[in-house]
Each structure stands twice: as C-alpha cells, then as structure tokens.
C-alpha cells in the first residue's frame, strides 16, 4: 500500500483525442500500447472512448501526455502505432533537446525517414533521427551501439534509397567472416554458400527494403554485392554506397584497409557493437580505434546508440541494460563469494 506521501504526490489528468478511430489505433489491440506506457512511465491509464485518464506523479503524467500526443499525430498521418513506436515516442520525449541543442523544438517534431519503393520507415528515437541526418550529410558515418538499435537495418534502407534515387550505382555490403564464439569447421559448397551464413542478416535487411526478385537480379548483375571484408583488399569503390557491418570484429589493419577503399562519388557506413567483439583474446578491435582517430575530421560522422534506443522486443532492452550494468560493477576482490 502506498505511503500517505505517495498518495499526496499523485495527480490526475484527462487527455482528450479528437478522433475515436485514431485514438483506438493509439491505444493498441486490447490497449497493449497503454499497458506499455504504464509500465515504462509508472503511471495508470484508463481509456474511455477518445478520453484517457492519467494518474501518477505530475512529471510522469506530462510525459505520458506527450507520448500519447506524438502517437496520435503519427497515427493521424497514417503511420503505425506498434509497441516499438511506443518505445520510440517515450525515448523521443526523454531525450528531446539533448542531441540537437541548437535547433528549435519544432524542427524535431517530425523525425527523419528513409523511403524506398517497397516501404518507408521513420526514425523511432532521437538517436535514430540523428543517425539518418548524418547519413544524408556525411560521406563516412560510424554507428556504434548495442543490438536492436537499428544501426544496420537503417543503413541498408538508406543505401537502397540512394541506389533507387540514382545517387549511387551499386551497393557493396560487407562483414568480417568471424565466428561468434563457435568453431563451425569446414563449410561445403561454392564461395557464396560458404560466406552466406555470415552475411544472412544483411540479406534479410535488403529484402525488407527491396523486392526479393530485385535483390536477386541486382546480385546477378553486380549492382548489389555482398562479400566478406577480406575481399575488399586492393579495390577502389567508386559511385557506390559501402556498408561494413559488425565492424567490431575487424582488426586495426582490416579497418584501415576498408576505409581507404572509398572512391569518388561513394558513401561509406560502418556499424558495430564494441561490447560484442569476437576477435581472439588480445586482438584489438579496429572499430573503436577508428572512431577515436577519425572523430572531428571533416566529412566524418559518429553516432552512439545506448540501450535506451533498442527498438526490438522490450525484453532486449532490459537484457542489454542488465549486461551493461554488470560490466560497470567493480570486480569482486574478496568476501564470501570470492574463491577460496
């Protein structure tokens, strides 16, 4: 039972949305979106028609009102209101103003989007919005952060949009062929069959933004190339959008080799999660070093994502936060849990 001081601190506000049908889209199937907002913001929401009664601490009520209004405005514009969009709206409210201090609030009301012939996708968080802005105005962009933040997916979508607009002539998508803590041994088949398991996430992202038949045709004609990082040596990649994914598994020499492939009329995107390197013990990751060395260079952008930007299942966000919290704790140097 809450303490008397807690009851005194609670307030109640009613938010009215001016369209019942759009309001029901915002609330979600069986009010699942409202349940997510309740859990994330520690408020109580009770929907009746197009009215929502919000109970909780005054600042939490304010955040809930802004989240619902964001979702309502987007739904009225024809955009979905999924659980991921709810999380994005919550983070937009929490981070608003921290990434773009020199811009007026109105300029942040509509986040950037990437559009291809198959689909259009709008950024869900302030970090994703900043990421898409950097992709549009920089020749080389580094994106570092945990799994589930949209680093690779948005990069592939941006690359496909550049190809369809004619801004580049081909896509070159690459990953280091490093096994994630396992030894897969000899893989049968031709070259493509050997490297496909390492590059499958890129294929999946491509097919999200392009018709599968167009993907296959592009790969047959060379307009789309998916290849291991080792195959980039000695090449000059001109008039192309080049993506290196899982870059935390590139060594310093591999990263230098890759970055110096950039040719005239090309764009380059490097994504990775520095906390999940699969390199041998003692081997330095080229991603963190490249970010450090190249930060501040003209034409180079850098975006850092955190667990707050995770837009997969809500459990993924909590898993990432738990691991990061564990890594921040000092090592146990004694006590009852120390080994004898």
């Amino acid at each position: 039972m809450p303490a008397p001081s807690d009851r005194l601190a609670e307030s109640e506000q009613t938010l009215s949305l001016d369209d019942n049908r759009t309001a029901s889209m915002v609330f979600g199937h069986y009010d699942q979106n409202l349940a997510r907002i309740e859990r994330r913001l520690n408020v109580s929401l009770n929907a009746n028609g197009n009215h929502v009664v919000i109970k909780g601490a005054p600042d939490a009520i304010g955040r809930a009102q802004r989240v619902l209004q964001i979702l309502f405005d987007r739904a009225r514009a024809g955009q979905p209101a999924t659980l991921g969009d709810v999380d994005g709206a919550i983070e937009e409210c929490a981070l608003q103003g921290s990434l773009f201090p020199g811009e007026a609030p109105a300029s942040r009301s509509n986040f950037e989007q990437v559009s291809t012939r198959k689909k259009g996708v709008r950024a869900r968080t302030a970090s994703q919005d900043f990421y898409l802005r950097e992709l549009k105005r920089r020749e080389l962009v580094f994106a570092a952060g945990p799994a589930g933040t949209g680093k690779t997916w948005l990069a592939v979508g941006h690359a496909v949009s550049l190809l369809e607009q004619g801004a580049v002539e081909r896509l070159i998508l690459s990953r280091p062929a490093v096994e994630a803590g396992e030894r897969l041994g000899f893989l049968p088949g031709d070259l493509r069959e050997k490297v496909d398991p390492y590059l499958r996430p890129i294929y999946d992202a491509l097919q999200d933004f392009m018709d599968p038949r167009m993907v296959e045709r592009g790969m047959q004609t060379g307009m789309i190339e998916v290849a291991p990082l080792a195959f980039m040596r000695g090449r000059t990649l001109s008039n192309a959008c080049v993506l290196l994914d899982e870059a935390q598994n590139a060594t310093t020499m591999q990263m230098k080799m890759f970055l110096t492939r950039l040719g005239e009329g090309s764009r380059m995107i490097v994504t990775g999660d520095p906390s999940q390197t699969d390199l041998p013990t003692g081997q330095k990751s080229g991603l963190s070093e490249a970010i450090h060395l190249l930060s501040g260079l003209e034409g180079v952008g850098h975006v850092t994502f955190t667990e707050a930007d995770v837009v997969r299942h809500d459990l993924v966000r909590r898993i990432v936060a738990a691991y990061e919290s564990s890594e921040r704790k000092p090592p146990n140097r004694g006590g009852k849990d120390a080994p004898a």
Side-chain angles (χ1 to χ4, degrees), residues 161-293:
S161 70
L162 290 178
L163 182 67
E164 293 181 348
Q165 294 165 19
V168 297
E169 297 175 357
R170 55 187 176 143
L171 305 185
I172 300 174
L173 312 172
S174 183
R175 267 187 164 201
V178 177
E179 296 161 356
E182 303 175 62
R183 295 297 177 196
L184 302 180
F186 174 76
L187 295 174
D190 60 20
L191 178 62
R192 180 172 172 180
E193 290 171 328
K194 290 178 187 293
V195 301
D196 268 3
Y198 299 104
L199 304 172
R200 175 50 51 188
I202 293 180
Y203 287 119
D204 292 342
L206 269 177
Q207 295 189 5
D208 276 342
F209 289 99
M210 295 180 73
D211 186 281
R213 292 172 298 178
M214 295 301 296
V215 174
E216 190 61 35
R217 185 181 306 167
M219 296 186 70
Q220 290 173 356
T221 61
M223 186 175 66
I224 300 174
E225 180 181 349
V226 183
L229 175 59
F231 286 34
M232 297 294 106
R233 186 173 297 278
R235 302 177 62 183
T236 299
L237 307 174
S238 302
N239 301 312
C241 185
V242 191
L243 166 64
L244 176 61
D245 189 33
E246 296 291 336
Q248 76 274 5
N249 290 327
T251 65
T252 296
M253 292 305 297
Q254 285 177 322
M255 180 62 72
K256 179 182 177 182
M257 177 273 293
F258 177 79
L259 295 175
T260 53
R261 300 309 94 198
L262 186 64
E264 187 175 350
S266 289
R267 299 291 188 91
M268 189 171 276
I269 310 166
V270 180
T271 67
D273 180 358
S275 70
Q276 292 196 32
T277 179
D278 298 311
L279 291 170
T281 303
Q283 182 79 62
K284 190 174 183 180
S285 170
L287 175 61
S288 299
E289 185 178 33
I291 291 173
H292 172 70
L293 289 175

